[in-house]
Amino acid sequence: QLQLVESGGGLVQPGGSLRLSCAASGFFLDYYAIGWFRQAPGKEREGISCISSSDGSTYYADSVKGRFTISRDNAKDTVYLQMNSLKPEDTAVYYCSAEIRITTVQTMCVKKIFGSWGQGTQVIVSS
């Protein structure tokens, strides 16, 4: 049974930082591409950052590029999303996802080609 559990969300002031973690179990993480998605109230879920299973290549949405960094530690079965310079518009529920890589990581991220999802962790950026 594939399982992903997000953690690390919370309330942070604008300009602050958070590091989200995604703990994986039930599968070999090194075989899977991993994506971070977010969904703000009233909006569709969007792919913000994804990382390849093979060479570590990454994709970032323009809205987070330069502020967020995705990384993976296969030995610990964990994927991270370091979020810096947070803005109020970053407020959302953040989800991690996993899927065997079938195309470019950018395409997988934009098209949401992922089959396994976590339950999400809430991030609120507010003064």
Side-chain angles (χ1 to χ4, degrees), residues 1 61-62 91 102:
Q1 181 69 38
D62 289 342
T91 296
I102 59 174

Side-chain angles (χ1 to χ4, degrees), residues 44-109:
E44 293 187 4
R45 193 172 300 186
E46 62 173 337
I48 57 171
S49 185
C50 297
I51 187 166
S52 173
S53 61
S54 58
D55 59 4
S57 61
T58 58
Y59 164 81
Y60 296 94
D62 289 342
S63 59
V64 306
K65 190 175 298 183
R67 299 188 297 120
F68 292 10
T69 302
I70 189 171
S71 62
R72 62 192 299 159
D73 188 339
N74 291 341
K76 296 182 178 180
D77 294 327
T78 303
V79 178
Y80 304 97
L81 184 68
Q82 179 67 45
M83 306 187 297
N84 298 326
S85 301
L86 284 162
K87 305 174 181 179
E89 51 262 45
D90 295 319
T91 296
V93 177
Y94 285 72
Y95 302 86
C96 68
S97 57
E99 186 57 83
I100 298 174
R101 197 181 114 211
I102 59 174
T103 183
T104 67
V105 69
Q106 177 177 343
T107 297
M108 293 183 70
C109 216

Side-chain angles (χ1 to χ4, degrees), residues 22-34:
C22 175
S25 63
F27 62 100
F28 292 105
L29 182 61
D30 54 311
Y31 295 158
Y32 286 76
I34 302 295

